[in-house]
Amino acid sequence: MSINVIGAGLAGCEAAWQISKRGVSVNLFEMKPHKFTPAHKNKNFAELVCSNSLKADRIESAAGLLKEEMRILGSLLIDCANRCKVPAGGALAVDRDKFSALVTKKIKGDPLINIVEKEVNSIPEDEITIIATGPLTSDAFLDAISAVCGGYLSFFDAAAPIVTAESIDMNSAFFASRYDKGEDNAYINCPLNKDEYELFYNELVLAKRAALHDFDIQNPKVYEGCMPIEVMAQRGENTLRFGPMKPVGLKDPRTGHRPWAVLQLRMENNAGTLYNMVGFQTNLKFAEQKRVFSLIPALKDADFARYGVMHRNTFIDSPSLLNSDCSMKSNEHLFFAGQITGVEGYMESAASGIVAGINAVARLKHRDKLILPVETMIGSLCNYISTGSKNNFQPMGANFGILPEIQPHIKDKKLRYAAFANRSIKILKERWL
């Protein structure tokens, strides 16, 4: 007997891999390359849309702890990411094309994983199935999901532009990581003085935005973690200077002082030919992006390899619908994984795929569920989506705020975060290895 996995994104690939490693065959359904969502362009699996960064890698950070837990659980994507990484300071960032290609090669090379290239429009009945179709689930399949879930929620997500390295004016920029942590070439910093920033800010808040005519929702909600730069700017003139354009930890070698504001560019590929505008997710019209972002001195002649785009995200009301093993409360043969459950972030999505895959096999073989302790980052995320607020459920990424407090309380933040990480890893290794 086999298990169905619908969607070959980050969560779906992890789920299929976990199932196969336990000796169970998988039918992995993927509508690409016959049909693409508005945001996907690559025919390969596990395509990274918004950014090539998988966030911090040190285990004393929430994102780093999450990845370490995934390594312990045998993550496919963490292994692939390490083989495709590009310099990114203290973060784990990848060459996205090489990453997707490697994941695809691994999945297609697994004899127990059967790839079915077709769009799924209905949920198989009486078969163990994992739905991992992601935040851009096709309209036809959304209808099927809505039928079993009693509706779904939607919000909008935005991706940042990418510029070519050769078009960056390095006379107006400098290489550095914040506080000199990480590789020297991880980030190109584009400083602005007060006058330059005020000109940029004024033009940004007045710039024309692209119409959302491709989407079927009015007055969309925008998740804080992917807030478009122009929306964030409307909160106040200094909002960006305390957010994505914060200058702390950086010193302009031309002046010897901290800039008034800074745009950071992160390496997008191994060749170092492309750079991502960090934190500059946007829904401005393409011509407006060129005009406004070129007001940043280092980008005055920027060549945009990709402009920012905004697309729909969809997630179910998980606290009302899901158990902490990612199965449905009303049908334990049906599992959900990935951003459609309300976890926010690449690795958070992949981690939920690991949990769903392991538990789908447990269901098939009538074994005990894997319920990870809430002291672990993955366990706390699963707990959040299954027990969170039923009135105002919002996506959640890895953060130490959802873990049980360390007792007695540790005031020093660095020491407290390290204690969180050590506790989690100890518990997970004791129960897993």
Side-chain angles (χ1 to χ4, degrees), residues 155-158 220-228 231 310 394:
F155 64 104
F156 282 73
D157 198 2
K221 295 184 290 185
V222 181
Y223 176 60
E224 286 283 334
C226 289
M227 179 74 66
V231 175
M310 194 171 185
Q394 289 292 314

Side-chain angles (χ1 to χ4, degrees), residues 340-355:
I340 198 167
T341 67
V343 293
E344 172 58 29
Y346 287 149
M347 291 297 94
E348 289 86 344
S349 297
S352 73
I354 293 175
V355 174

Side-chain angles (χ1 to χ4, degrees), residues 218-238:
Q218 295 181 349
N219 300 319
K221 295 184 290 185
V222 181
Y223 176 60
E224 286 283 334
C226 289
M227 179 74 66
I229 194 76
E230 62 274 11
V231 175
M232 190 182 303
Q234 289 184 321
R235 295 180 172 180
E237 184 173 325
N238 288 313

Side-chain angles (χ1 to χ4, degrees), residues 317-338:
D317 186 16
S318 293
S320 299
L321 299 168
L322 297 186
N323 298 308
S324 56
D325 67 342
C326 296
S327 67
M328 284 200 73
K329 294 176 180 177
S330 61
N331 178 4
E332 293 192 342
H333 278 78
L334 183 60
F335 294 77
F336 282 83

Side-chain angles (χ1 to χ4, degrees), residues 152-208:
Y152 51 86
L153 304 172
S154 294
F155 64 104
F156 282 73
D157 198 2
I162 294 173
V163 298
T164 62
E166 63 182 5
S167 70
I168 302 166
D169 180 9
M170 291 306 299
N171 291 321
S172 301
F174 59 95
F175 284 100
S177 293
R178 278 187 214 283
Y179 302 106
D180 296 321
K181 293 182 178 179
E183 303 93 342
D184 291 339
N185 65 338
Y187 291 94
I188 294 177
N189 299 277
C190 307
L192 298 85
N193 61 33
K194 189 172 186 293
D195 291 339
E196 291 164 344
Y197 175 79
E198 289 178 351
L199 173 61
F200 166 76
Y201 171 81
N202 290 329
E203 292 299 317
L204 177 63
V205 294
L206 296 175
K208 297 177 181 178

